[in-house]
Amino acid sequence: MKQVKPKKQLGQHFLTRVDIADRIAASIEPYKELPVIEVGPGMGILTQCLIERGFNLYVVEIDTESVTYLKANLPKSFVEEGRIIEGDILRIDLENIIPNKPKQPFVLIGNYPYNISGRLFFHIYEHAEIIPYVGGMLQKEVAQRITAPPGGRDYGILSVLLRSKYNGDYLFTVDKTLFHPAPKVDGGVLLLTNNNRSKLPCNEQLFVRIVKAGFQQRRKTLKNALKRMFEEQNIPIENNDEKLQHLLTLRAEKLDVDDYVYITQFFERNTSEP
C-alpha cells in the first residue's frame, strides 16, 4: 500500500528513524502496567515499537488515510480488537476511551501533531487524574517550555499548569531532518510523571485565571498584571499580607506553583459571596 501523504492542516510530520521511535517507546517502559494511548500514529513507526515492546496499546488517529494505512499494516489481531480509534483526541471522551473500563488511568504518548500541541497539553492538564504519565515528542521549544523551571524565558503558562500536576523531564532533541516532511524546528522528547497532586488545594479555575493573567503581561510585576482582578473583586491590592505583597513585586516567571496557589487562596478568602 502506498504511503500516507502528510497533511499540513493536520500538522503531520512523520518520523523516519525506527531507532528514535523505539527510544521514545522505551521512555514509558516503567509504566507498563497501565494501558497506553498513542496520539496521531500516522504510518505507525512508533506504534510498531510499542506493540513489539508489549504495551497494552490503543491509538487515536483523526486522518482517515492514516487509519486505512494502519489497518492494512498493523498486526491483524491489533486491528480486530478495535485498538485503532478514529477521532480527534481533543474531542474524545477520555474517561471512557479504554473499552469497558470507565475512568481507567492510562499513559499518553505520541509524535504529537505540531498544530495542536499547545491545546493538547492544556487538555492533558485538565485530565491529569486519568493521565498520570505522558511521553512523546513535540516542537523542541514547546517541550522545553513545558518542562522549564521557574525563573527563565521558557517558563510560562503551560510550565506552571503542568508543573502543578507533574514532574517534567526534557529527554532529548530530534533533528528536524529526521522527519518527512522536515518541519522548520527540531523535535523535543519529554516525559511527565504524576507528582501525586492531582488536585490543587484551591479553586483550580481561579488558579488558571491568575496564572494566565500574570503571563499575559509578563514584563510587568504581578501587582500590575493582576490589578484588574483585584479591582473586579473589590479587594484592596495594598494590604497587610506580607507574603502576598512580596509576591506581587515579582514578575510571573519568578513564581512557582505554590506561590500561585497562595495568591489563589488569598482571592478565595477575600472574595465576598454573591
Side-chain angles (χ1 to χ4, degrees):
M1 183 178 180
K2 66 177 183 179
Q3 294 191 334
V4 176
K5 181 180 179 180
K7 298 167 186 63
K8 185 176 181 180
Q9 69 271 23
L10 295 179
Q12 290 176 324
H13 298 279
F14 299 143
L15 183 63
T16 59
R17 287 270 296 273
V18 175
D19 59 328
I20 300 295
D22 192 57
R23 191 175 171 190
I24 296 170
S27 70
I28 62 166
E29 191 77 27
Y31 318 114
K32 217 164 188 175
E33 75 278 5
L34 292 176
V36 174
I37 302 293
E38 182 192 354
V39 177
M43 290 192 295
I45 188 170
L46 175 59
T47 312
Q48 293 280 12
C49 295
L50 292 164
I51 291 173
E52 290 172 7
R53 284 180 171 270
F55 285 98
N56 179 14
L57 178 67
Y58 297 83
V59 301
V60 177
E61 178 57 69
I62 195 172
D63 180 21
T64 55
E65 186 183 5
S66 288
V67 170
T68 300
Y69 182 92
L70 294 168
K71 287 181 177 179
N73 288 275
L74 292 179
K76 185 178 179 180
S77 59
F78 186 88
V79 177
E80 291 179 345
E81 289 170 9
R83 291 177 175 269
I84 300 174
I85 302 167
E86 187 170 0
D88 183 346
I89 190 64
L90 297 176
R91 297 180 181 275
I92 289 173
D93 178 6
L94 296 183
E95 292 193 351
N96 292 287
I97 196 168
I98 306 298
N100 304 313
K101 292 185 178 181
K103 297 186 178 181
Q104 166 66 51
F106 60 85
V107 182
L108 197 71
I109 195 168
N111 174 18
Y112 301 111
Y114 284 6
N115 64 330
I116 67 163
S117 58
R119 286 180 291 156
L120 176 59
F121 276 78
F122 274 113
H123 201 50
I124 290 168
Y125 164 78
E126 292 170 348
H127 293 85
E129 290 184 43
I130 58 169
I131 312 176
Y133 308 104
V134 183
M137 176 165 51
L138 54 163
Q139 302 99 309
K140 179 181 178 181
E141 62 176 26
V142 179
Q144 289 176 326
R145 196 181 311 149
I146 287 171
T147 57
R153 184 179 60 182
D154 291 334
Y155 190 67
I157 296 171
L158 267 180
S159 316
V160 178
L161 298 187
L162 290 164
R163 191 177 174 86
S164 74
K165 304 291 179 70
Y166 298 96
N167 297 319
D169 293 298
Y170 184 92
L171 301 183
F172 59 93
T173 299
V174 180
D175 192 276
K176 59 189 175 186
T177 61
L178 302 181
F179 297 87
H180 171 68
K184 294 180 180 179
V185 296
D186 293 337
V189 178
L190 53 66
L191 180 66
L192 305 182
T193 56
N194 184 274
N195 64 7
N196 298 316
R197 183 165 59 181
S198 59
K199 284 193 175 296
L200 298 178
C202 63
N203 181 311
E204 294 201 20
Q205 288 184 330
L206 181 58
F207 172 83
V208 172
R209 187 182 170 200
I210 288 169
V211 172
K212 286 184 175 181
F215 281 98
Q216 282 166 357
Q217 301 184 70
R218 64 183 299 156
R219 292 187 178 183
K220 296 183 178 181
T221 65
L222 283 173
K223 185 174 184 178
N224 291 318
L226 300 180
K227 183 179 180 181
R228 179 174 292 181
M229 287 191 65
F230 276 90
E231 291 173 348
E232 288 174 354
Q233 300 300 324
N234 198 27
I235 300 172
I237 199 166
E238 301 288 351
N239 53 68
N240 59 6
D241 189 315
E242 293 184 4
K243 180 174 180 178
L244 178 72
Q245 292 304 309
H246 169 67
L247 293 176
L248 293 178
T249 67
L250 305 176
R251 292 181 178 179
E253 69 267 16
K254 298 298 182 183
L255 277 65
D256 207 342
V257 173
D258 289 340
D259 298 321
Y260 282 105
V261 168
Y262 188 88
I263 296 173
T264 306
Q265 291 173 333
F266 176 87
F267 270 89
E268 289 182 283
R269 290 195 305 270
N270 290 277
T271 300
S272 300
E273 291 293 332

